Amino acid sequence: MLTERKQQLMLVINPTAGKNRARDNLFMLINYFFTHNYHVTVFPTQAKGDACNFVAGYAAAYDALVCVGGDGTLNEVVTGLMLCEPNRRPRLGYIPGGSTNDFANTLGISSDMQTAAQEFCTGEPFCCDIGRFNGRYFTYVAAFGLFTEVSYETPQPLKNTLGHAAYILEGAKSLASIKSY
């Protein structure tokens, strides 16, 4: 029996984020959204840049967009949204599933994926500033200097194995490339 029209939800997920936590919770998330009046289409990322490309290409056709992954995945999703026409951008939700989740921690978004999904479905939407620096978008931090590439260059398998310590090791490796003046 059909009921009211379900809203169209674009679910962009980084399946390797946070020791595969995102992947391991995928069915629970799909089921949760489905039972809360959303028809879900899943877009799993396979490589750097996928989330941005998916969102820029398809988000305008959806009522809502939820990103599941870490801060890097969120940054790609936001960049993709900013490439959409302003009046065609769907509402964005974030379910933190990465190693660090600084953005979610700053805003008090639950690290429990079902709770974060519930917050998206029942919580009050709010506006969030998006910045742009040298043509790149950011949500909460714009940085420059010696160690800014560390978070982007740290391999996902290393983050999955070591968590936060992976960033420290990657930063230590970059010490050798510092030029003296």
Side-chain angles (χ1 to χ4, degrees), residues 154-169:
T154 305
Q156 188 64 51
L158 192 60
K159 291 190 284 187
N160 288 348
T161 303
L162 301 176
H164 299 295
Y167 295 108
I168 295 168
L169 288 176

Side-chain angles (χ1 to χ4, degrees), residues 53-122:
N53 293 333
F54 293 155
V55 172
Y58 301 107
Y62 289 86
D63 301 307
L65 162 63
V66 172
C67 168
V68 184
D71 293 325
T73 308
L74 176 64
N75 182 261
E76 281 194 33
V77 166
V78 167
T79 298
L81 271 177
M82 297 310 291
L83 297 174
C84 295
E85 292 180 41
N87 62 340
R88 303 286 315 270
R89 293 177 188 148
R91 180 171 55 110
L92 173 63
Y94 178 47
I95 298 179
S99 304
T100 306
N101 305 311
D102 284 335
F103 184 74
N105 290 332
T106 300
L107 291 179
I109 298 171
S110 177
S111 61
D112 177 74
M113 290 191 176
Q114 185 163 343
T115 302
Q118 179 182 3
E119 289 169 355
F120 173 78
C121 290
T122 62

Side-chain angles (χ1 to χ4, degrees), residues 4 16 26 32 49 54 59 66 77 88-90 114 124 129 138 141 146 157 170 179:
E4 64 186 271
T16 62
L26 179 58
Y32 186 88
F54 293 155
V66 172
V77 166
R88 303 286 315 270
R89 293 177 188 148
Q114 185 163 343
E124 284 297 314
D129 290 332
F138 61 94
V141 173
L146 296 176
E170 192 67 27
K179 290 183 182 179

